[in-house]
């Protein structure tokens, strides 16, 4: 149960952004686990479409939380999803987790977090519209966004809603 809850929490990271490019919604939806709504999600790109991480830059994933979640739960769940998807090494996962530990915050109900994939391939994070830092490693972006957008995501219904797939 803890592993499943941890996986669910990892699927819930991002929010609204103040100083980002003018982006158009690709798709949006809510993520629920059993009876609980964990967050609302929105994916946005320059032209309102998503094809891949190269052509759809800038790309932003926003989430508005409906529950309190600790920073450590975020990190543990994110690493668990990377391990599950198998698209990054244990060394990369540990380096990224250390970076995220310095950037991320605990969230409470109503907090908004965002991850912006920039034109340069970096991921800029925002917390309640405040810039909280960047991950410059170009391998990080696809690994992070794959948690929601990879065909093998733990949340296939939300993926379809985000990328506006039927």
């Amino acid at each position: 149960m803890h592993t499943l809850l941890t996986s669910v929490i990892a699927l819930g990271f991002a929010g609204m952004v103040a100083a980002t490019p003018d982006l158009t919604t690709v798709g949006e939806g809510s993520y629920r686990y059993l009876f609980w709504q964990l967050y609302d999600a929105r994916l946005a790109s320059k032209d309102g479409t998503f094809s891949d991480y190269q052509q759809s830059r800038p790309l932003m994933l926003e989430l508005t939380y409906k529950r309190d979640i600790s920073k450590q739960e975020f990190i543990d769940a994110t690493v668990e999803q990377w391990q599950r998807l198998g698209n990054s090494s244990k060394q990369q996962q540990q380096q990224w987790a250390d970076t995220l530990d310095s950037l991320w915050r605990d969230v409470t109900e109503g907090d908004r977090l965002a991850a912006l994939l920039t034109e340069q391939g970096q991921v800029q994070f925002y917390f309640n519209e405040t810039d909280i830092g960047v991950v410059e490693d170009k391998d990080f972006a696809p690994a992070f966004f794959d948690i929601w957008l990879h065909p093998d995501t733990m949340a296939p219904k939300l993926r379809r809603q985000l990328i506006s797939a039927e």
Side-chain angles (χ1 to χ4, degrees):
M1 178 66 175
H2 174 14
T3 301
L4 182 55
L5 181 58
T6 302
S7 299
V8 168
I9 292 168
L11 291 170
F13 188 81
M16 291 299 291
V17 179
T20 59
D22 186 19
L23 300 177
T24 303
T25 298
V26 176
E28 53 194 344
S30 294
Y31 188 76
R32 297 178 189 281
Y33 175 70
L34 298 177
F35 303 106
W36 302 285
Q37 182 178 0
L38 296 180
Y39 57 85
D40 293 328
R42 181 174 88 96
L43 185 69
S45 69
K46 195 171 191 174
D47 65 0
T49 65
F50 174 75
S51 55
D52 61 43
Y53 299 127
Q54 296 298 318
Q55 296 177 12
S56 299
R57 293 180 189 174
L59 183 70
M60 185 169 55
L61 180 65
E62 304 177 310
L63 285 85
T64 302
Y65 284 87
K66 304 300 181 185
R67 304 187 71 73
D68 298 354
I69 302 172
S70 75
K71 173 176 73 169
Q72 192 58 54
E73 287 175 306
F74 270 137
I75 293 168
D76 293 346
T78 300
V79 171
E80 185 174 312
Q81 289 304 306
W82 288 332
Q83 291 169 347
R84 188 182 140 314
L85 289 169
N87 296 331
S88 55
S89 71
K90 288 187 186 289
Q91 181 182 9
Q92 286 174 309
Q93 294 165 11
Q94 184 58 56
Q95 289 173 342
W96 296 335
D98 291 344
T99 300
L100 295 176
D101 186 50
S102 70
L103 299 178
W104 286 0
R105 315 269 194 291
D106 293 340
V107 297
T108 58
E109 183 178 349
D111 280 339
R112 299 185 329 186
L113 295 156
L116 174 68
L117 173 57
T118 68
E119 295 278 359
Q120 298 75 32
Q122 302 168 329
V123 177
Q124 185 72 50
F125 285 101
Y126 298 84
F127 179 75
N128 291 331
E129 302 182 23
T130 301
D131 179 345
I132 59 172
V134 65
V135 178
E136 295 183 12
D137 182 343
K138 303 289 191 278
D139 292 331
F140 176 81
F144 184 75
F145 282 86
D146 273 355
I147 293 170
W148 296 269
L149 303 179
H150 191 277
D152 294 330
T153 180
M154 289 285 292
K157 179 180 177 185
L158 179 59
R159 176 187 182 269
R160 288 189 301 275
Q161 292 171 331
L162 290 173
I163 65 172
S164 294
E166 305 256 340

